[in-house]
């Protein structure tokens, strides 16, 4: 399968199944698009008609075909998808848990309008996770992780720093058992920044592999959607704290993370605002919301959002030349050292290798399903007792979704988010089309940026 | 080649041979939490 597109003057040919990326001239681009459907003679005649003779000698045409054939011979063009059987078999293997989203606080000190957790409560009572429950969660993770060495624990909420003492104790407990159990805990934390102070920042820098700091961008945008409980905006309260955190981490191993909505389709300005404030690791993502909400992203918003991604990609090229660039999470792509095909095609791992744990110790397939009783998997005491739900998630893969078969982006999104699919179609094996369109654009931009390097 | 510039990429077919160790980061533990982004994850089994 070959996918071709032109962006920013680059003619890009993506050989989907091998992962190869070719940057070609416009004549080669045309020849490749006709290569499988027409004879060599017909293609040669067509391009002779299209391009002036002085631009295109017979020798050039031979050269073009020769280079294309060379790529085919090297297995980098028109390769077949030979993965289906192996991925299907891989998905049948026993699953191990390797990552937990630990909801240490179902409570929050902000009142963000778009919060999928309903201001931290997830349809339940406000509550904090006890040390005992958290410890059982870590034990559950270790016991169910098989031979996996790297275990990931994300402290999440609500606002996790409302339960900072428990986080400290749980990290200490994790560190105390990792040598004996031959595991390596990678702790991360997602915070709105309100409770960051020197003590917290020092702790995060010592123990957290990554920190996600929530801020939406420009002050007026952030304050509209991320107010405090008293209705005042949170921007002025958090900006200096998250700057201090980012700087103290030497601008590495963190993200400032924002959400954009129907109200700021020019979200690229928010990304650039964060960059201009000095942040080097930035993620700003589309809101996932009920279409009835006034801030929900609608199909008619797509052209404007796509333009925003294109503007952002152009600006990144410019800033890189100026020595003033930054990382935009959704344009990051590791062409040389990225993950294997198993990872790329077998889904995000929710419900199998990745679980969310509530303050009471209940297990859900991921943070987005917490509070949906029909998705309750079990608890940290007794483990997974609802194997039907786990098996439903286990079957998630690119090959379980018809819509993914002909999509060039399937090796980059792994079939998309199960929660987005469920909330848009009531089926975790469906696809969230809006999300797909945006994902495809982001992949195009990411690859174009590699071509421009 | 004069007309085709091939970027250096990992050959995905080769990764079928020793891939699938499961040690790399779970996508939602990175920054997204609302999308599924796997292509920027680093391989732990190089």
């Amino acid at each position: 399968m070959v996918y071709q597109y032109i962006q920013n003057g680059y003619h890009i040919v993506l050989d989907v199944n091998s992962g190869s990326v070719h940057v070609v001239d416009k004549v080669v681009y045309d020849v490749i698009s006709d290569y499988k459907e027409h004879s060599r003679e017909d293609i040669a005649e067509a391009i002779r008609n299209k391009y002036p003779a002085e631009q295109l000698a017979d020798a050039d045409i031979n050269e073009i075909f020769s280079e294309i054939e060379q790529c085919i011979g090297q297995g980098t063009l028109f390769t077949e998808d030979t993965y289906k059987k192996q991925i299907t078999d891989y998905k049948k293997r026993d699953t191990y848990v390797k990552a937990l989203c630990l909801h240490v606080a179902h409570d929050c000190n902000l009142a963000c309008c778009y919060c999928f957790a309903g201001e931290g409560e997830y349809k339940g009572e406000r509550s904090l996770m006890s040390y005992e429950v958290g410890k059982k969660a870590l034990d559950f993770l270790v016991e169910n992780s098989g031979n996996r060495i790297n275990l990931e624990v994300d402290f999440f909420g609500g606002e996790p720093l409302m339960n900072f003492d428990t986080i400290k104790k749980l990290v200490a407990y994790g560190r105390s058992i990792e040598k004996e159990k031959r595991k390596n805990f990678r702790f991360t934390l997602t915070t709105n920044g309100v409770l960051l102070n020197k003590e917290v920042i020092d702790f995060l820098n010592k123990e957290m592999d990554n920190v996600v700091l929530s801020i939406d961008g420009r002050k007026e945008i952030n304050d509209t959607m991320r107010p405090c409980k008293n209705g005042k905006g949170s921007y002025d309260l958090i900006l200096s704290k998250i700057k201090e955190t980012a700087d103290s981490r030497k601008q590495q191993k963190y993200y400032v993370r924002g959400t954009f909505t129907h109200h700021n389709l020019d979200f690229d300005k928010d990304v650039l605002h964060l960059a201009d404030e000095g942040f080097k690791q930035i993620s700003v993502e589309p809101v996932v919301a009920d279409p009835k909400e006034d801030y929900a992203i609608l199909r008619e918003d797509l052209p404007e959002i796509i333009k925003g991604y294109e503007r952002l990609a152009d600006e990144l090229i410019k800033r890189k030349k100026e020595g003033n660039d930054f990382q935009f999470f959704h344009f990051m792509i590791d062409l040389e050292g990225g993950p294997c095909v198993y990872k790329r095609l077998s889904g995000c791992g929710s419900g199998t290798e990745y679980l969310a744990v509530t303050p009471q110790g209940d297990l859900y397939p991921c943070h987005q399903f917490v509070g949906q009783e029909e998705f309750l998997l079990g608890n940290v005491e007794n483990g997974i007792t609802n194997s039907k739900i786990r098996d439903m998630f286990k079957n998630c893969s690119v090959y379980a979704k018809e819509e993914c078969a002909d999509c060039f982006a399937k090796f980059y999104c792994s079939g998309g988010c199960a929660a987005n699919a469920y909330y848009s179609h009531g089926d975790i094996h469906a696809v969230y089309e809006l999300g797909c369109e945006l994902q495809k654009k982001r992949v195009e931009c990411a690859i174009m940026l590699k071509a421009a390097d | 080649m004069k007309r085709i510039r091939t970027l250096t990429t990992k050959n995905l077919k080769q990764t079928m041979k020793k891939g699938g160790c499961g040690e790399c980061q779970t996508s939602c533990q990175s920054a997204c939490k609302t999308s599924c982004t796997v292509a920027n994850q680093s391989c732990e089994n190089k």
Side-chain angles (χ1 to χ4, degrees):
Chain A
M1 179 183 175
V2 163
Y3 178 73
Q4 299 180 236
Y5 67 101
I6 302 167
Q7 188 176 342
N8 213 8
Y10 294 98
H11 292 68
I12 294 169
V13 178
L14 174 62
D15 185 57
V16 175
N17 295 318
S18 69
S20 303
V21 179
H22 308 286
V23 187
V24 303
D25 65 34
K26 57 187 175 185
V27 188
V28 175
Y29 189 88
D30 284 347
V31 173
I32 288 175
S33 62
D34 285 344
Y35 194 83
K36 283 287 178 185
E37 301 297 323
H38 299 280
S39 70
R40 180 173 171 147
E41 291 71 28
D42 289 347
I43 296 169
E45 191 184 335
I47 61 168
R48 273 193 210 101
N49 291 335
K50 184 170 177 182
Y51 296 96
E54 60 271 22
Q55 281 184 26
L56 197 71
D58 276 347
D60 287 336
I61 294 174
N62 289 333
E63 186 178 80
I64 290 167
F65 278 98
S66 160
E67 290 193 12
I68 289 172
E69 281 153 18
Q70 210 176 319
C71 290
I72 294 170
Q74 288 167 346
T76 63
L77 195 60
F78 296 116
T79 54
E80 297 295 322
D81 182 344
T82 54
Y83 310 127
K84 186 170 182 178
K85 184 180 181 307
Q86 278 164 284
I87 297 296
T88 309
D89 290 347
Y90 178 75
K91 294 293 289 183
K92 288 180 190 156
R93 297 194 320 185
D94 287 341
T95 55
Y96 298 104
V97 185
K98 66 174 288 256
L100 292 182
C101 185
L102 216 53
H103 292 226
V104 290
H106 273 189
D107 197 356
C108 192
N109 42 20
L110 291 183
C112 304
C113 308
Y114 47 49
C115 185
F116 65 84
E119 295 183 29
E121 294 163 56
Y122 289 90
K123 299 178 180 172
E125 297 286 310
R126 288 181 186 272
S127 53
L128 300 181
M129 181 180 281
S130 67
Y131 170 68
E132 288 69 29
V133 167
K135 182 170 172 289
K136 278 181 189 164
L138 297 187
D139 288 338
F140 165 83
L141 175 58
V142 169
E143 282 161 22
N144 289 278
S145 59
N147 58 1
R148 302 284 184 275
I149 294 166
N150 296 315
L151 304 183
E152 300 150 24
V153 177
D154 189 31
F155 294 105
F156 200 67
E159 172 47 45
L161 291 179
M162 292 176 84
N163 200 4
F164 183 50
D165 282 343
T166 300
I167 292 172
K168 283 194 290 189
K169 285 185 202 160
L170 288 175
V171 168
Y173 177 67
R175 297 288 179 231
S176 76
I177 60 171
E178 60 187 352
K179 196 170 176 190
E180 173 207 338
K181 303 288 185 185
R182 296 185 182 172
K183 302 292 176 186
N184 174 36
F185 278 107
R186 288 177 176 165
F187 293 109
T188 55
L189 181 136
T190 300
T191 177
N192 62 27
V194 172
L195 295 174
L196 289 170
N197 58 34
K198 185 161 187 325
E199 185 206 348
V200 173
I201 292 170
D202 286 349
F203 173 79
L204 298 182
N205 292 348
K206 181 164 174 267
E207 299 290 0
M208 298 293 147
D209 213 52
N210 191 44
V211 176
V212 177
L213 307 160
S214 302
I215 182 170
D216 281 353
R218 292 165 290 180
K219 177 176 160 63
E220 64 274 22
I221 298 297
N222 183 85
D223 286 352
T224 303
M225 295 305 278
R226 300 184 67 79
C228 303
K229 297 276 186 191
N230 63 8
K232 273 182 69 178
S234 59
Y235 183 90
D236 291 336
L237 180 66
I238 60 168
L239 183 66
S240 60
K241 296 179 185 190
I242 65 173
K243 267 188 186 177
E244 185 185 347
T245 308
D247 285 339
S248 71
R249 295 176 77 82
K250 301 185 172 61
Q251 290 291 335
Q252 290 170 349
K253 295 196 166 190
Y254 83 95
Y255 285 98
V256 283
R257 188 203 179 283
T259 297
F260 71 86
T261 72
H262 178 71
H263 299 317
N264 61 316
L265 298 175
D266 58 349
F267 67 96
D268 52 310
K269 289 185 180 147
D270 294 287
V271 176
L272 296 180
H273 173 80
L274 293 169
D276 291 340
E277 287 293 337
F279 296 108
K280 294 291 185 192
Q281 315 292 337
I282 302 171
S283 182
V284 175
E285 310 201 11
V287 72
V288 177
D290 188 323
K292 289 196 282 288
E293 300 289 353
D294 64 357
Y295 54 80
I297 286 171
L298 308 172
R299 177 152 283 278
E300 52 263 39
D301 296 335
L302 279 178
E304 190 54 38
I305 298 173
I306 283 170
K307 276 187 219 156
Y309 281 127
E310 288 174 349
R311 286 193 298 265
L312 190 55
D314 291 350
E315 184 66 21
L316 270 166
I317 292 173
K318 183 172 153 251
R319 290 193 181 205
K320 188 159 194 180
K321 279 181 192 154
E322 294 167 357
N324 185 30
D325 63 336
F326 59 90
Q327 297 274 12
F328 179 62
F329 180 73
H330 272 150
F331 288 171
M332 288 163 63
I333 202 163
D334 188 350
L335 292 179
E336 292 172 60
C340 61
V341 168
Y342 297 97
K343 171 81 170 184
R344 287 169 182 266
L345 296 182
S346 61
C348 71
S350 59
T352 54
E353 67 168 37
Y354 172 66
L355 304 173
V357 188
T358 69
Q360 292 71 34
D362 290 337
L363 298 169
Y364 284 92
C366 86
H367 56 289
Q368 299 265 2
F369 288 100
V370 165
Q372 302 278 352
E373 286 308 308
E374 64 271 35
F375 286 99
L376 180 63
L377 282 164
N379 58 54
V380 292
E381 192 88 48
N382 302 314
I384 291 176
T385 48
N386 189 346
S387 55
K388 202 175 152 198
I389 292 290
R390 184 198 53 202
D391 292 345
M392 190 169 89
F393 278 83
K394 191 175 170 176
N395 287 333
C396 271
S397 85
V398 159
Y399 294 112
K401 302 184 178 196
E402 272 178 37
E403 295 87 343
C404 297
D406 297 324
C407 178
F408 79 91
K410 62 187 169 188
F411 286 80
Y412 303 90
C413 76
S414 199
C417 168
N420 287 350
Y422 177 74
Y423 290 117
S424 60
H425 292 288
D427 176 7
I428 64 164
H429 295 105
V431 296
Y432 170 54
E433 298 87 351
L434 252 171
C436 291
E437 292 307 313
L438 298 178
Q439 177 74 281
K440 285 190 259 187
K441 187 67 213 176
R442 295 192 295 251
V443 171
E444 286 186 359
C445 289
I447 291 174
M448 185 278 289
L449 287 168
K450 292 288 180 191
D453 262 351
Chain B
M1 289 191 284
K2 279 160 68 181
R3 292 175 166 268
I4 300 179
R5 175 165 64 96
T6 302
L7 305 187
T8 308
T9 55
K10 192 173 197 168
N11 190 302
L12 296 184
K13 284 206 168 150
Q14 294 296 322
T15 72
M16 291 301 280
K17 291 177 186 162
K18 63 166 198 167
C21 74
E23 288 292 349
C24 57
Q25 190 182 41
T26 304
S27 64
C28 254
Q29 298 289 64
S30 46
C32 51
K33 293 283 185 191
T34 56
S35 60
C36 188
T37 311
V38 296
N40 59 14
Q41 305 290 338
S42 286
C43 177
E44 301 267 353
N45 184 19
K46 287 171 187 166

